[in-house]
């Protein structure tokens, strides 16, 4: 294949398909549905990738509101129930001279989810509206979202640490609140949103302006 003739062309324009399982390239005209190496089902692009990404992103946008506004835990101490939102929990940790843990909770529970949603939304809008954004920077941002998504569950470990720190003399019981479920939905939907997005659409958008 002439490298000069294919320079600047997308895989679709060259009739190529990439198997996401074994990484093998094959020409669409040879076998459009099955990888000739591992026999996995393949397509030039993930089916309905952008629609699935938006559906999951909108779900995460909806659930991130109760995740931050409603109590994530209820602390029962001396027969008195103390509700704690993520933000009030951070303030309590700061007041208890636990600035390090407070910073971890803030990053894992507030900064990271908002960043992931915002970054994925910008990338999806860029593809849908053909914005003139750098594909390399979008891919870098997407890679960072995928990497940081692996640490999203960190907040649950932080809650465990908080329980261990404050549970003295068996005077404290901890119960999950509405925000705990909402936060879990945000974590799961953002992970699936990143997984469902086909990064090759970024290059397609640049070549079809």
């Amino acid at each position: 294949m002439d490298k000069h003739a294919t320079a600047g062309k997308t895989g679709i324009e060259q009739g190529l398909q990439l198997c996401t399982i074994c990484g093998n390239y094959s020409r669409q005209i040879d076998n459009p549905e099955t990888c000739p190496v591992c026999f996995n089902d393949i397509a030039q692009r993930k089916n309905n990738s952008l629609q699935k990404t938006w559906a999951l992103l909108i779900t995460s946008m909806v659930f991130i509101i109760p995740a931050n506004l409603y109590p994530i835990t209820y602390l029962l101490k001396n027969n008195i129930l103390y509700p704690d939102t993520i933000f009030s929990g951070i303030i309590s940790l700061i007041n208890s001279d636990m600035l390090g843990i407070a910073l971890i909770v803030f990053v894992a529970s507030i900064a990271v989810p908002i960043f992931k949603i915002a970054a994925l939304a910008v990338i999806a809008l860029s593809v849908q509206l053909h914005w003139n954004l750098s594909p390399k920077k979008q891919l870098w941002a997407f890679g960072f979202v995928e990497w940081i998504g692996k640490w999203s569950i960190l907040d649950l470990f932080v809650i465990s640490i908080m329980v261990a720190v404050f549970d003295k003399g068996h005077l404290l019981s901890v119960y999950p609140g509405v925000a705990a479920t909402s936060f879990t939905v945000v974590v799961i939907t953002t992970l699936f949103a990143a997984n469902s997005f086909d990064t090759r659409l970024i290059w397609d958008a640049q070549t079809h302006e």
Side-chain angles (χ1 to χ4, degrees):
M1 184 179 294
D2 188 354
K3 293 183 179 180
H4 295 287
T6 59
K9 294 184 177 180
T10 65
I12 288 180
E13 293 170 332
Q14 299 177 51
L16 296 175
Q17 297 184 133
L18 173 66
C19 177
T20 57
I21 302 299
C22 67
N24 176 70
Y25 282 96
S26 60
R27 296 190 65 81
Q28 186 186 21
I29 58 175
D30 297 330
N31 193 333
E33 298 180 350
T34 307
C35 174
V37 176
C38 67
F39 305 106
N40 176 61
D41 293 337
I42 59 175
Q44 287 189 318
R45 297 294 181 265
K46 291 181 180 179
N47 293 329
N48 302 317
S49 170
L50 198 57
Q51 292 89 332
K52 292 176 182 176
T53 300
W54 271 121
L56 291 162
L57 270 181
I58 292 172
T59 302
S60 63
M61 290 176 187
V62 170
F63 277 90
I64 199 171
I65 297 173
N68 284 278
L69 294 182
Y70 286 90
I72 193 167
T73 56
Y74 289 95
L75 308 180
L76 182 62
K77 185 175 183 180
N78 297 329
N79 294 324
I80 300 176
L81 199 61
Y82 298 93
D84 253 329
T85 64
I86 293 176
F87 187 75
S88 67
I90 293 172
I91 298 301
S92 298
L93 288 170
I94 293 175
N95 293 335
S96 301
D97 295 324
M98 298 180 185
L99 185 59
I101 297 178
L103 182 61
I104 293 174
V105 174
F106 173 79
V107 171
S109 303
I110 298 179
V112 168
I114 291 176
F115 171 79
K116 287 185 347 185
I117 292 172
L120 288 173
V122 169
I123 293 172
L125 282 172
S126 176
V127 168
Q128 189 165 2
L129 302 178
H130 303 285
W131 287 350
N132 188 24
L133 299 179
S134 169
K136 291 184 179 180
K137 290 182 179 178
Q138 292 183 66
L139 288 171
W140 180 89
F142 182 82
F144 185 70
V145 167
E146 279 196 314
W147 176 82
I148 206 170
K150 300 174 183 178
W151 298 93
S152 298
I153 205 70
L154 179 64
D155 187 63
L156 300 179
F157 290 100
V158 173
I159 293 175
S160 300
I161 294 173
M162 292 171 61
V163 172
V165 169
F166 290 110
D167 188 11
K168 296 180 179 179
H170 303 287
L171 299 177
L172 178 67
S173 297
V174 182
Y175 304 96
V178 174
T181 303
S182 300
F183 182 79
T184 303
V185 173
V186 172
V187 171
I188 293 174
T189 52
T190 51
L191 283 173
F192 278 100
N195 184 65
S196 65
F197 182 75
D198 193 332
T199 54
R200 293 169 293 187
L201 295 175
I202 295 174
W203 297 102
D204 292 344
Q206 298 299 315
T207 58
H208 292 85
E209 293 181 352

